[in-house]
């Protein structure tokens, strides 16, 4: 009853909070094809709050100078904003120091960096990289490329669908200990699957891997939005996420790494800013984090992580967090209930091991997911269709494409109801 005060009902107060939050994200009150936009493609990218939009425009006007290079005021301002954002990220994920926080161009770039540099240092012929069946392509392909160069191979933690023990679509961890053999050098896991929306028990996987001295990278592209992340408590060796999925700019990502590992692996790209001294024969590298930030970074985009993460924290704390959290719980149970219908197959059902985030991927019997998405678009609803960069997982489910509705904390139950109503209409039209 936290928000029932002064005669305002709990529901009324919650509605006010939701309206206040949504007013701060201008795209949410736009129209699409003549209808109010219902934006349910947040797993692909999020809409931006005014704080981020204003910040970007102000930075381009008043702080646009290259970072770390010059002795003039404008450049100092830009460097402070860039390094300030690094500190903001450090605090958001509870990294021990700013040296652990590398700016990249996105989750994909962060995973590629680790795959390339970690494997060139620590992985050799006959070694194994363990990935998950529910991985996004960007947590599969970089490992394949690096494993091929190192003469190593890839093994996969299966889903329960593969092993036949039901069809919740979650990882099957029963055989994990057996998979963690001596020659496994890295386990690349996903905190929340962008298909099933299931919250993987990453801490369990990390402690199993660490008990055998194996390093773990966590793909937090979806996890960073829907879970409070503490990299020290999680004890992951590397953690990757993208700014654009958590209300920040595109073309910016973060790689967190443990200091001893970041120091042990070679740089990824060579160029300006990542060096200490350069001669024609030899280069010594800058210390962390700049060792991994060759060239001019997306300094304005990276700096936008400060207002973006402020906004993310505002959404999850206090009475706002309470209101949005309870709305999200209702959305998840409403959607799972409505999708539990004959002719609809949902990929990813929660159970005692994996909770469900508000990401819903499914197929309707005999209807093409792309056709559904196009019809829904005409009704103002933006959802994703296709493989969602997870072809192996969809194939495991016996699908070649699917429809995905992914909610952010700023979405409402009312939007879920509109979605379900429009889906039923589209289904009737296409049947
Ligand atoms: N991993 C997961 C789980 C994702 O959902 C995504 C984006 N859909 C990525 C990685 C890749 O992120 P980006 O395209 O921002 O690099």
């Amino acid at each position: 009853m936290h928000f029932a005060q002064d005669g305002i009902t709990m529901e009324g107060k919650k509605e006010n909070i939701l309206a206040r939050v949504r007013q701060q994200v201008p795209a949410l009150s736009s129209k699409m094809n003549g209808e109010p936009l219902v934006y349910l493609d947040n797993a692909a990218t999020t809409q931006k709050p005014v704080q981020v939009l204003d910040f970007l425009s102000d930075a381009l006007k008043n702080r646009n100078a290259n970072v770390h290079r010059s002795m003039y005021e404008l450049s100092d301002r830009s460097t402070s904003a860039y390094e300030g954002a690094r500190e903001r990220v450090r605090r958001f994920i509870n990294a021990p120091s700013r040296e652990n926080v590398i700016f990249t161009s996105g989750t994909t770039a962060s995973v590629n960096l680790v795959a390339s540099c970690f494997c060139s240092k620590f992985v050799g012929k006959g070694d194994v990289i363990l990935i998950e069946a529910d991985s996004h392509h960007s947590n599969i392909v970089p490992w394949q490329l690096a494993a091929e160069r190192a003469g190593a191979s890839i093994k996969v933690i299966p889903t329960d669908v593969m092993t036949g023990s039901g069809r919740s679509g979650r990882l099957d961890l029963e055989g994990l200990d057996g998979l963690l053999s001596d020659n496994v050098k890295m386990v690349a896991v996903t905190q929340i699957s962008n298909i099933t929306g299931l919250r993987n028990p990453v801490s369990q996987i990390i402690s199993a891997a660490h008990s055998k001295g194996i390093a773990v990278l966590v793909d937090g592209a979806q996890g960073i939005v829907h879970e409070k992340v503490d990299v020290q408590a999680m004890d992951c060796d590397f953690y990757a996420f993208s700014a654009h999925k958590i209300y920040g700019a595109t073309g910016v990502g973060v790689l967190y790494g443990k200091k001893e590992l970041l120091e042990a692996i070679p740089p990824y790209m060579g160029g300006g800013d990542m060096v200490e001294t350069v001669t024609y024969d030899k280069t010594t590298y800058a210390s962390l984090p700049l060792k991994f930030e060759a060239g001019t970074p997306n300094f304005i985009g990276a700096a936008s992580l400060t207002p973006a993460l402020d906004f993310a924290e505002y959404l999850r704390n206090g009475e706002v967090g309470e209101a949005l959290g309870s709305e999200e719980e209702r959305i998840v149970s409403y959607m799972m209930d409505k999708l539990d219908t004959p002719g609809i197959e949902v990929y990813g059902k929660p159970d005692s091991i994996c909770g469900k985030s508000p990401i819903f991927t499914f197929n309707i019997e005999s209807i093409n997911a792309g056709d559904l998405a196009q019809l829904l678009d005409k009704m103002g609803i933006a959802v994703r269709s296709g493989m969602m960069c997870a072809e192996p997982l969809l194939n495991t489910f016996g699908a070649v494409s699917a429809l995905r509705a992914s909610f952010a904390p700023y979405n409402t139950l009312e939007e879920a109801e509109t979605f379900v109503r429009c889906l039923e209409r589209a289904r009737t039209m296409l049947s």
Side-chain angles (χ1 to χ4, degrees):
M1 293 301 277
H2 191 88
F3 15 35
Q5 284 166 359
D6 307 331
I8 307 176
T9 64
M10 198 158 117
E11 268 317 299
K13 184 127 196 220
K14 189 163 116 180
E15 268 171 35
N16 289 345
I17 289 173
L18 273 164
R20 227 187 309 135
V21 164
R22 290 174 65 82
Q23 271 161 16
Q24 294 174 56
V25 186
L28 299 179
S29 39
S30 59
K31 289 204 161 184
M32 216 44 66
N33 294 318
E35 299 291 337
L37 172 66
V38 176
Y39 183 75
L40 299 180
D41 195 16
N42 295 284
T45 200
T46 48
Q47 299 302 335
K48 316 302 172 205
V50 276
Q51 295 87 324
V52 169
L53 300 173
D54 290 351
F55 179 95
L56 288 169
S57 131
D58 183 60
L60 279 162
K61 271 189 259 167
N62 299 316
R63 283 193 301 281
N64 181 35
N66 215 326
V67 286
H68 302 140
R69 286 160 169 79
S70 306
M71 299 299 290
Y72 55 91
E73 171 65 20
L74 198 63
S75 172
D76 280 352
R77 285 190 201 168
S78 182
T79 303
S80 303
Y82 184 70
E83 291 302 327
R86 199 189 304 277
E87 169 58 20
R88 187 68 188 88
V89 172
R90 185 206 66 71
R91 224 165 14 99
F92 193 74
I93 60 174
N94 193 32
S97 126
R98 288 170 47 249
E99 294 172 318
N100 303 97
V101 177
I102 315 290
F103 284 127
T104 67
S105 64
T107 308
T108 302
S110 299
V111 178
N112 272 277
L113 187 162
V114 178
S116 178
C117 303
F118 181 92
C119 291
S120 77
K121 178 80 181 182
F122 293 117
V123 177
K125 219 172 167 41
D127 285 338
V128 172
I129 309 289
L130 193 57
I131 62 171
E132 288 180 356
D134 64 354
S135 300
H136 187 277
H137 292 167
S138 63
N139 208 13
I140 299 176
V141 186
W143 300 109
Q144 290 173 339
L145 290 167
E148 195 178 339
R149 282 194 297 265
S153 61
I154 304 284
K155 285 197 177 153
V156 182
I157 304 174
T159 65
D160 60 3
V161 175
M162 281 164 153
T163 53
S165 58
R167 288 185 69 86
S168 81
R170 70 163 168 77
L171 290 180
D172 183 349
L173 296 174
E174 262 173 41
L176 181 63
D177 262 353
L179 282 169
L180 293 170
S181 55
D182 286 350
N183 49 359
V184 175
K185 292 292 180 289
M186 166 67 77
V187 187
V189 305
T190 304
Q191 194 177 10
I192 293 182
S193 158
N194 68 313
I195 298 288
T196 64
L198 294 178
R199 302 170 189 271
N200 285 326
V202 283
S203 294
Q204 185 192 333
I205 302 174
I206 290 168
S207 41
H210 282 179
S211 72
K212 300 193 173 172
I214 302 167
V216 180
L217 172 137
V218 178
D219 171 350
Q222 303 300 335
I224 195 79
V225 184
H226 299 291
E227 287 191 9
K228 185 164 168 31
V229 172
D230 178 335
V231 287
Q232 293 188 76
M234 193 189 279
D235 199 26
C236 54
D237 298 284
F238 298 100
Y239 186 91
F241 70 93
S242 301
H244 71 99
K245 293 197 199 279
I246 185 153
Y247 324 115
T250 39
V252 178
V254 169
L255 171 66
Y256 158 82
K258 282 188 178 161
K259 197 171 165 202
E260 59 278 17
L261 281 168
L262 290 174
E263 276 172 346
I265 62 179
Y268 186 40
M269 294 198 297
D273 229 24
M274 52 75 73
V275 296
E276 191 181 58
T277 60
V278 183
T279 68
Y280 291 117
D281 299 322
K282 186 161 173 53
T283 294
T284 57
Y285 308 122
S287 49
L288 293 173
L290 298 188
K291 171 182 164 185
F292 292 102
E293 294 182 11
T296 298
N298 182 350
F299 51 84
I300 289 180
S304 80
L305 272 163
T306 296
L309 297 183
D310 286 349
F311 185 69
E313 225 154 65
Y314 156 75
L315 297 187
R316 59 172 68 148
N317 288 334
E319 62 172 17
V320 175
E322 211 172 317
L324 270 49
S326 104
E327 188 78 351
E328 181 173 304
E329 267 175 39
R330 289 174 66 189
I331 290 172
V332 172
S333 60
Y334 172 81
M335 288 288 289
M336 291 310 284
D337 180 51
K338 291 293 171 185
L339 293 173
D340 186 14
T341 303
I344 298 187
E345 183 166 17
V346 184
Y347 309 119
K349 295 185 184 140
D351 62 11
S352 59
I353 295 173
C354 295
K356 177 97 175 165
S357 70
I359 299 176
F360 309 93
T361 304
F362 58 94
N363 265 307
I364 301 185
E365 209 173 38
S366 317
I367 299 183
N368 179 285
D371 293 344
L372 272 173
Q374 275 182 325
L375 264 183
L376 288 167
D377 177 48
K378 299 276 174 287
M379 304 175 199
I381 296 177
V383 285
R384 179 84 190 270
S385 62
M387 288 182 174
M388 272 74 76
C389 298
E391 186 177 353
L393 181 66
L394 276 189
N395 290 345
T396 300
F397 292 142
V400 288
S401 74
L403 195 77
R404 181 183 69 191
S406 54
F407 292 67
Y410 50 56
N411 287 119
T412 62
L413 180 63
E414 200 182 325
E415 288 180 300
E417 288 165 352
T418 307
F419 169 74
V420 167
R421 224 177 20 254
C422 292
L423 183 70
E424 278 162 6
R425 254 179 77 201
R427 183 180 185 177
T428 311
M429 287 160 85
L430 291 168
S431 291

